[in-house]
């Protein structure tokens, strides 16, 4: 997957210099982790957005998984967030999806691969949870669908987004 000029923001198996990367297909921050483990014939690229693709002070989420398998593709925005800041996570995800040309550029690079257009998804990984009505209220307020708010703490299994594709 060619994602120039952001190749320096891709997580690697070894020698990662990006704090958010925990291996090639895992993001981790303050005890919260999320991964996207590809199956045979699939490709995953984990791109650090906060502090690498985006270096300004405007809202931004943490990372992006670009996934391709068969003729299907997905662009998956990820925000790792503490329990008390979940509304801010919705704002960050919505801002990236709606206002960041760099995100559009990465999405376009994924869509240049053969197959159908990429599905766009957003996930929040947190040690806090939201009720369904509160989640819907935040989605309506910020104009973004969040596929799931996944629970993760240092002592729990790392959620794998592969199951949501």
């Amino acid at each position: 997957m060619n994602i120039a000029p952001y190749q320096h923001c891709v997580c690697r198996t070894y020698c990662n210099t990006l704090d958010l990367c925990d291996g090639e297909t895992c993001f981790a921050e303050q005890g919260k982790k999320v991964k996207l483990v590809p199956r045979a014939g699939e490709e995953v690229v984990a791109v650090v957005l906060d502090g690498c693709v985006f270096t300004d002070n405007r809202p931004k989420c943490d990372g992006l998984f670009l996934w391709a398998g068969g003729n299907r593709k997905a662009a998956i925005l990820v925000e790792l967030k503490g329990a008390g800041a979940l509304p801010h996570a919705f704002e960050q995800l919505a801002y990236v999806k709606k206002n960041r040309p760099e995100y559009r550029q990465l999405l376009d690079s994924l869509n240049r691969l053969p197959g159908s257009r990429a599905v766009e998804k957003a996930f929040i990984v947190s040690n806090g949870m939201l009720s369904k009505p509160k989640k819907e209220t935040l989605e309506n307020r910020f104009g973004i669908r969040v596929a799931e708010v996944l629970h993760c703490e240092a002592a729990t299994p790392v959620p794998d987004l592969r199951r949501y594709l």
Side-chain angles (χ1 to χ4, degrees):
M1 204 174 300
N2 180 10
I3 60 165
Y6 305 111
Q7 202 62 42
H8 66 287
C9 297
V10 172
C11 294
R12 312 236 178 267
T13 303
Y14 303 107
C15 303
N16 266 316
T17 58
L18 303 164
D19 291 340
L20 192 64
C21 297
D22 187 16
E24 188 175 14
T25 62
C26 185
F27 295 127
E29 184 178 65
Q30 297 180 359
K32 288 162 277 308
K33 290 186 177 188
V34 65
K35 62 185 175 181
L36 179 57
V37 178
R39 294 182 182 159
E42 297 177 346
E43 183 180 0
V44 173
V45 175
V47 182
V48 175
L49 298 179
D50 189 359
C52 196
V53 172
F54 308 136
T55 57
D56 57 26
N57 290 328
R58 292 180 292 164
K60 53 195 152 283
C61 60
D62 291 316
L64 170 67
F65 288 112
L66 299 172
W67 173 86
N71 68 345
R72 296 181 13 205
K73 297 175 278 204
I76 303 168
L77 291 169
V78 174
E79 176 60 25
L80 304 166
K81 194 57 91 184
L86 290 173
H88 185 58
F90 282 81
E91 177 187 11
Q92 291 171 283
L93 291 163
Y95 191 87
V96 168
K97 186 172 180 181
K98 296 175 185 178
N99 299 299
R100 292 290 195 158
E102 302 93 337
Y103 168 69
R104 287 280 145 218
Q105 187 177 2
L106 289 162
L107 180 61
D108 289 345
S109 72
L110 179 62
N111 278 323
R112 281 193 285 279
L113 296 175
S116 59
R117 292 202 53 79
V119 173
E120 296 178 70
K121 295 186 178 235
F123 289 87
I124 298 170
V125 180
S126 178
N127 56 343
M129 295 305 295
L130 289 175
S131 67
K132 186 173 180 166
K134 180 68 173 172
K135 178 180 176 257
E136 289 175 0
T137 298
L138 290 167
E139 287 176 333
N140 291 335
R141 179 173 158 198
F142 292 106
I144 188 170
R145 279 272 173 253
V146 172
E148 289 288 333
V149 177
L150 300 170
H151 185 259
C152 183
E153 296 182 43
T156 61
V158 177
D160 186 349
L161 298 182
R162 178 65 187 77
R163 67 179 277 212
Y164 297 94
L165 297 174

